[in-house]
Amino acid sequence: LGKCLLSPIVLAAYAYNRSLSELGPGGRSEDEPGVLCQLFAFLMAFFGLAPTLLLLAMALECWLSLGHPYFYRRHLTRRLGVTLGPAAAGLCALFCALPLLGFGVPMQYCPGTWCFIRMAGGGPRELGFPVLYASLMGLLVLAIGACNVSSMRHLYGMARRQPRRGTPAAAAPRMEELDHLVLLGLMTVLFTVCSLPLIIRAYMGAFAADFNENADLSALRFLSVNSIVDPWVFIIFRTSVFRTFVRRVCRRLN
């Protein structure tokens, strides 16, 4: 949804060879970016935070189902799962709308085809939101990493309890758990690597006064790469050829 909403705006800017502030209606003052740029900044912040919150919900669900199955069976219902998505999206929308209300400043970045929250320069009103945003992202990354590491530990323990030798049917559960273990590890590393640059840039801009638009653009690109690559990692890893390759590598290592 984020790609479908944001990509046409960028393509229109390139097609007309104009910046986002020039494409949309102007702001309330000369220094304020246009309405389209403000909307773009809101969507960028929202679609950076909302999927992370949903990933945390998925990581918690995986951790509870593996480590606390009785609690999971008793308290996690289908109704809770249905309401969790809209609730997370609503909270993220309210939080990311704060710059539109004056807490934080949307800013057009070079070359004028994307906007985000100003991450360097200005006073507490301008830099308070990016620091809060980065802190929230950092807490979510830590929580997701902790849940996934705990889930991987449970999967590894389950795999070790399975019989190592015997019929192929007896070894199948162990290999399936190893498949999930490796997949979870890959996605955890990928998510962490893609999320950290934005968090680092926000803190550097606020506390070290490091205004570098190219570095900010690279951080946002890293954050976008996660949502693009993650599904492909999942799709490719679930193919039988790749799973057979991983199983052979695990046997060699053993």
Side-chain angles (χ1 to χ4, degrees):
L1 182 61
K3 297 295 182 290
C4 292
L5 289 175
L6 290 169
S7 297
I9 301 175
V10 179
L11 294 175
Y14 276 109
Y16 289 101
N17 196 26
R18 300 172 71 184
S19 67
L20 296 185
S21 293
E22 293 172 339
L23 276 179
R28 288 168 291 186
S29 63
E30 293 185 0
D31 298 332
E32 189 177 35
V35 175
L36 186 62
C37 181
Q38 296 181 40
L39 175 64
F40 195 95
F42 166 78
L43 292 176
M44 285 285 287
F46 175 79
F47 287 109
L49 186 62
T52 309
L53 195 59
L54 291 178
L55 279 175
L56 176 60
M58 295 168 65
L60 282 171
E61 191 264 351
C62 184
W63 170 63
L64 288 173
S65 64
L66 290 171
H68 306 276
Y70 295 110
F71 179 89
Y72 174 82
R73 181 69 175 175
R74 178 176 298 178
H75 296 285
L76 269 71
T77 62
R78 186 179 296 271
R79 179 179 297 178
L80 178 62
V82 170
T83 57
L84 195 60
L91 289 174
C92 290
L94 290 174
F95 178 77
C96 294
L98 290 177
L100 303 178
L101 302 175
F103 183 63
V105 178
M107 174 183 171
Q108 180 176 279
Y109 283 81
C110 183
T113 55
W114 69 287
C115 297
F116 195 64
I117 310 303
R118 185 183 184 93
M119 292 191 289
R125 186 179 70 87
E126 290 82 7
L127 299 180
F129 180 80
V131 171
L132 189 61
Y133 186 88
S135 301
L136 183 57
M137 283 284 290
L139 289 175
L140 291 176
V141 169
L142 288 175
I144 292 170
C147 289
N148 285 347
V149 168
S150 180
S151 299
M152 291 162 63
R153 184 176 61 85
H154 287 299
L155 282 170
Y156 181 71
M158 292 165 63
R160 291 197 65 179
R161 288 193 292 270
Q162 294 291 336
R164 289 178 175 271
R165 300 184 183 276
T167 62
R174 177 172 179 268
M175 296 311 301
E176 183 177 357
E177 284 145 7
L178 287 176
D179 288 341
H180 288 296
L181 176 64
V182 176
L183 175 62
L184 198 59
L186 284 174
M187 297 182 76
T188 302
V189 171
L190 177 65
F191 169 75
T192 305
V193 169
C194 291
S195 302
L196 284 178
L198 179 65
I199 299 171
I200 295 171
R201 285 302 307 164
Y203 278 110
M204 289 183 65
F207 298 110
D210 182 19
F211 187 74
N212 188 337
E213 291 192 38
N214 291 328
D216 294 339
L217 178 58
S218 299
L220 265 296
R221 283 173 173 165
F222 266 98
L223 192 66
S224 301
V225 162
N226 179 60
S227 60
I228 298 171
V229 176
D230 243 359
W232 284 105
V233 171
F234 185 81
I235 292 169
I236 293 171
F237 191 84
R238 298 310 296 172
T239 60
S240 57
V241 175
F242 193 78
R243 291 171 69 181
T244 303
F245 170 75
V246 172
R247 290 176 180 181
R248 287 178 179 176
V249 171
C250 290
R251 290 194 186 101
R252 290 285 181 86
L253 293 176
N254 287 335

